[in-house]
Amino acid sequence: GLLGCGVDSPPIPRVVHTNDGDIDAYTLELLLALASAGRIELVGIVADSGAGFEPAPNGSPTVWEEGREQYAAIVGKARRSGMRNLPDPVAGARRALDRPQTGRIEDTRPLDTPGGRLIRDLARSSSPARPLHIVTGGPLTAVADSWLLDPMIADRVEVHAHIGTTQDLDDYNGRIDPWAAYIVLERMNYVQYPIGIGVPVVSKGRLRGSEVPPTELRQFMIDKWQANGLPGEMDADAPPAIALVEPRLVTRIRRMTVVGWKPIETWGNAWPQIPRLRWESDGRARVVYDASGERATRVWWAALSDPAAWSGPRVEREPRGGRAHSIPGSIEAESFDEGGEGRAYHDTEFDGWVSHRTTDRVDLAPAGVQGSGLAVTRIEDGEWLTYSVDVAEAGLYDFWAVVAAKRAGGRFSVRLSGDVPRIQMEVPATGGEEIWSTRVVTAIALPAGPAVMRIDFEVGGFRLDRVEWVGSP
C-alpha cells in the first residue's frame, strides 16, 4: 500500500498557487522566489476567500484575508525587491459551492470565478505527461470550480493540498468548503499533505539575519502576524510547494478513497460534513503519511537565499497605484507610497495586522462618518509617510490638513523635495478621534513638476484623515 517517492518531477513544473490569504504563512513568497530563480514556472496566483458564509450559531472564525488586492500588493513588493517572472493575481471564490439536492457531483453549479476560469484555461494547454500543478493551503473551491467548468481537464491537473489529517479533511481548510473538497477527491488527481507533516522551520530571528536580502518583501515577512499566532516559527502551508522541487521530501504516501462523511460543527457551511478516507491500494487520492521537516527547512532557506531569486532591478519607492497624486487636489492619508518600512514610511510601534491594507504596517482605521475612507491612527513621535505628487503649475497654494485628537499637543511638518519651505502645524483638541478639524497654512510657493511630499509626525497622539492643496486666491 506504500508508493515510491523517488520519481523526479518535471524539470520546470507549471504551477498555480491558490490560497485564502498570505499573512499566516510564507508559502506565496517561497513560490515567488522559486519562480524568480527559474525553478518553477508560476503561471497563476488565485486568491480564494476564507469568508463568505452565513454566521454560525456560535459565531464564525475571524478571517483576515482580503483577497486579490492583498495578493497583488505582495507581488508588487516582490517585484520591487528584485523578483521576476511573476504573474498578476486573480480573484477566486468568495463563497462555498452549493451541494445539489441530488447529491451528484455532476449536478453542482459552478461559481464561474476568474480563478476557476484561469485554472481551466491553463489545464487545457497542459497534458497528462506535463500536468498543471495546483499548490494550495486553503479551501479547494477554485480548483473544484475549474473542473465544473470543464471536466475534461481532470487528467491534466495535479492538486497538491495542505489540508486535513491522514484519515479525513477535518481542519480549517477542509471545513470552509467540504463539497469542493469532495469533488476534487473524487474527480481529480489529488495529493493530500496533512496538517503538520513536513513543515519547514522559519523563525523571525533567522529572517532578520543575512541569508535573505534586506528588501521590502523580507520586511513584510518579518512583520506579518495575526491574532491566532500564525505564521509563528514555521511555514505551515509550504510542504506541497517544496515537494515540487524536492521529491525526496515525502518519505511515505498511501492511496486512499472516500468512504463516507464525518459530521462537523458548522461555521455556516451549507454542507456541515467532511469526507472520510480509508487506505485502499487502488484508491484515487494519495495522502502523505511521512515527510522530512528537516529537508523541508533546508529547501525553504535555500530558495529564499538564492541570489537568482533577487537578481532583477529593485525599486525603493513608487506611487501607490502607479500614479502620483495631482496638485492641486486632495490626498487621502492612507494613500502613501509603496516601498514599505524605512523606504516609503516609518512606523515605530506596530503590534499586529489590522483588517485594512494588511501588507503595510502603518496603523489605519475607518475615519468615521465625518471623515473619508481610512485614517492614519495611533501616530507616534518620529513616524513619517511619503507621497509622490505632481504639481500642475508653479504658483501659490494653500495647504489643508484634516486631523482629529482627544487632546492638544500633536505636531507635524510637511515638506516637498526641492526648494519648498517646511510647513509646520499644531494639532488642537478636536473633541474626539472621529471629530475632524481642518488646519490651513496659506500662500506656499510650489514649483511645477514631480516631487515627493513627506509628512513628519514630530509629536504624535492624533489622527490624520487627508490633506489637500488648493490654489491660493
Side-chain angles (χ1 to χ4, degrees), residues 95 97 106-113 144-149:
R95 66 178 183 89
L97 291 170
E106 286 71 17
D107 294 336
T108 307
R109 179 176 299 177
L111 298 176
D112 195 16
T113 62
D145 193 40
S146 71
W147 182 89
L148 292 169
L149 292 170

Side-chain angles (χ1 to χ4, degrees), residues 13 23 72 77 82 168 195 218 251 277 279 314-315 344 443:
I23 59 171
K77 292 179 184 294
D168 53 42
I195 305 299
R218 187 191 75 161
T251 56
L277 304 174
W279 168 38
R314 297 186 187 178
V315 177

Side-chain angles (χ1 to χ4, degrees), residues 125-150:
S125 62
S126 303
S127 69
R130 194 184 179 203
L132 178 68
H133 295 275
I134 312 295
V135 171
T136 178
L140 293 166
T141 312
V143 183
D145 193 40
S146 71
W147 182 89
L148 292 169
L149 292 170
D150 185 0

